[in-house]
Amino acid sequence: MAELDAGDRLLGNEIEGRRQAEAYLRQVKAFTDSLICALSGLSLEMSREGRCLDVFARTPERLGVEKEALLGQAVHGFFSADSAAILMSAIGEAEVSGYSFGQVLPIPLPLATCWFELSIVKHPGGDSGKGSFIVLFRDIHECRHAENVQPCREHEFRTLAENLPYYIVRYDRQGRKTYLNRAALSLSAHELECLIGQTPDEARIASATSAWAKEIACALQRVLQGEDAERIEIPLRAGSGGLRTHSLCFVPERAPNGAIDGALLIGCDITERKDYEQSLLARAESGQHMLDIAENLPGFVYTFRSLPEGNFSFPYVSPRIREAFGLQPGELAKDMTSFAALVPQEYQALVLAKIEDATREMSSFSCTFLMNVPRRGERWISACSMPHQEADGSVLWYGVMIDVTEQWRLEQQLELKRFALDRAHEAFYLIERGGRLVYVNEEACRALGYSRDALLRLNVSDIDPGLAPEEGTTLSSTLVCKLGTCFESRHRRRDGSTFPVEIRSSLFEWHGQAFAAALVRDISEEKRVKECIAIREREFRTLAQSLPDNILRYDCSGAVTYANIALERTLGTSAADLIGKGIRDRWSDGRYDVYAEALDSVLATGLDREIEIFVPDPRTPSDHVHQIRFVAERDETGAVTGALAIGRDISELKRIERQLLASRSQLRGLVARREEDLEGERKRIAREVHDELGQLLTGLQMKLSRLVRKQMGKVLREGEPLQEALELSEKALSVARNVASALRPAVLDMGIISALEWLAERFSVSNGIACYLRIIDTAIHLNECQAIALFRITQESLTNISRHARAGRVDITLNRSVENYLLKICDNGIGFDSATSKPGSFGLIGIQERALMLGGTVGITSSVGCGTEIAVRIPIEIEGRGEYYDKSDDSR
């Protein structure tokens, strides 16, 4: 019974212990959950298979999904395929090591896609059989954005550092850490936040002894104090307990002024290389070959076996293949299918063909091929190996593979530059200091008539005799003196002929050796054009010197560049006093301001100008009138490059012109007097015909009428003399009235408006053409001369319309402006070409002369098929100025 009681007590104690343990675990879980909920970002509990077991904090709100919809959901249900793959990979890593951090992935949120950093640990209370993981997503979107806007060099450095398999740590001037890449972080026992800002003594590399830590700190201080790069090798204890050899190199970082402002630590695990070197030394038959490869180990070492039946395998591959291609060395020991899957089909055939050729001849194998590496994209790989015949008939290859993607891209860029240079229209030469041609493009070969290989065997002095060394000098010194500048020379072709060239060159150093890059342009055509221009210039100057006209040439700034002899005589000065000066510089008193303004206008607009100015004659005290025409000079593109001023003394022509104008004025005065006399004669005759002859005929008609009335009792037959006399008297009276009206219509005495109305109505009745008169301003008061002139102009115009226009309508408009009377006669007839004149036609001339006698103008607008418009303007004159000559002047 006592034993049962003791067992019960033991069982009770055990149950109580378990309850306390469960309570403690619940407290730990509650604390963990509250801690997780307090974190920013997203937090989930997930199973090994990637299913959501629990959701923490504001995760559903940020994802825009209800919590119930997330629980039990597979990761592929709410993440993209790429993000899900990254998350599952990190869970797998945490399954092995207990934690995983540093992976980043994009997650689509309701507003935008953001980037998160993964931190995964095994759930402290999880079942070890099932396995669950706490997954924290830290929002690094803003951090990534900030990193993207960092300076380009820092971005490139970090991109390169994060993708290199080496350990990279950056220190500032005080020896504090400012940056560690992932590889370097994996060596430390501290988190990244604990390392930044720490010195090597404050946070040393994990598993490094105090002595080695001190050696690291001393090497860093030596570099920061100005010494060259320091390289040390130290042993570090790996997680499994074994020692790993690491190579650490400290390199100083310098500011633009050359001062040291920090240092870089670049390290790598060289244990495999060391071990492999030892294994290579142990194998006497092939050790030396592998040692040569191991000494140049930018990539990874491998042994490749090809069996006679065509099977292939990698008996050994250095662990770095995991970093390069994501493959495990053990997987490739028996089957290389996973490696071959990364090589495109066309490159597999290329590699196999090269292996067969090298196996057949037992020669070295070298090939560059393309691989599609996961997460890294297309990478160019260079493989080199040496064969060894094994006893079983297989061939064992010892070699190295190197990622030459960057080198391949640089080569492609270099090839592009070479291709661009070969397509250039100018010859390009790359010359070393001794004068040997290092590179030439296709244009250089074409210009000189050589092939590229033949041209590269020549020296620069072979194609350019001007660069041959002078006595007492070397070709090198001659090149230094002439190259680096722009100069002209002559090049010799393969057939011995030479041609002029313009050479633009620059000197530079590359890897401590001096070179010259020269662009050479064939200027044969340019020389020919210049010679033609010189010939044309000589011809121009010869012609200008022989012309009697004054000729000045100006550049685009208005400065004189040439003056002929005639101008020197006209101005009484030499051409040397004018060359290089502007017109205002030479004459600052303003006498030639009109000339200068016209020149400026031509240079600015390119439009020709013509002016007349007075120029003092140095031989006489009087001024002469000169007519000057400015003509713009242009280049082949049409741009104004200067101007020509061509002047001529027109004083004599002006004198003759004044005489001619005076003669015309006298002639016009005579014509006006003649017209006035003629009009007066018409008026007198019309009055006599109307008054005297009309009265006689009227009296005759009245007497005949009385005789007729006396014979009322007697029937008058047709043809009787009395009846015929009566009819003849009526006709005679009508003819007398018509003659009087034709000589001078009586309606003229009633004013111009009444006269035009009578004329329009008579024209319509006589010709059957509609004629409309429009008086815009009725306050029109013309003197007798003006009224007669406008009446006769209208009468002559209507006569021309009736004879030639074939019009159906005529419009007559009379208007008055401030200074002029305006008369317009328009018709819709067939019109005529107003630019040509018909011989023997004086109608329009008479119209113009009548208007000129009154000081007016006549405008005639007409074209074939569009009718004719005659516009007459005469000035409004005060009373008493209607005549243009003095009646008291009997000298006429």
Side-chain angles (χ1 to χ4, degrees), residues 89 127 185 269 311 315 346 362 397 512 517 597 613 713 778-779 843:
S89 174
D127 186 355
L185 195 61
D269 186 346
N311 294 330
E346 60 271 20
M362 289 303 292
W397 304 82
E597 291 172 1
I613 63 173
T778 56

Side-chain angles (χ1 to χ4, degrees), residues 346-368:
E346 60 271 20
Y347 288 98
Q348 290 186 21
L350 172 65
V351 174
L352 291 176
K354 286 185 175 290
I355 291 175
E356 292 176 0
D357 294 341
T359 303
R360 185 168 52 254
E361 301 177 1
M362 289 303 292
S363 60
S364 62
F365 166 80
S366 178
C367 183
T368 301

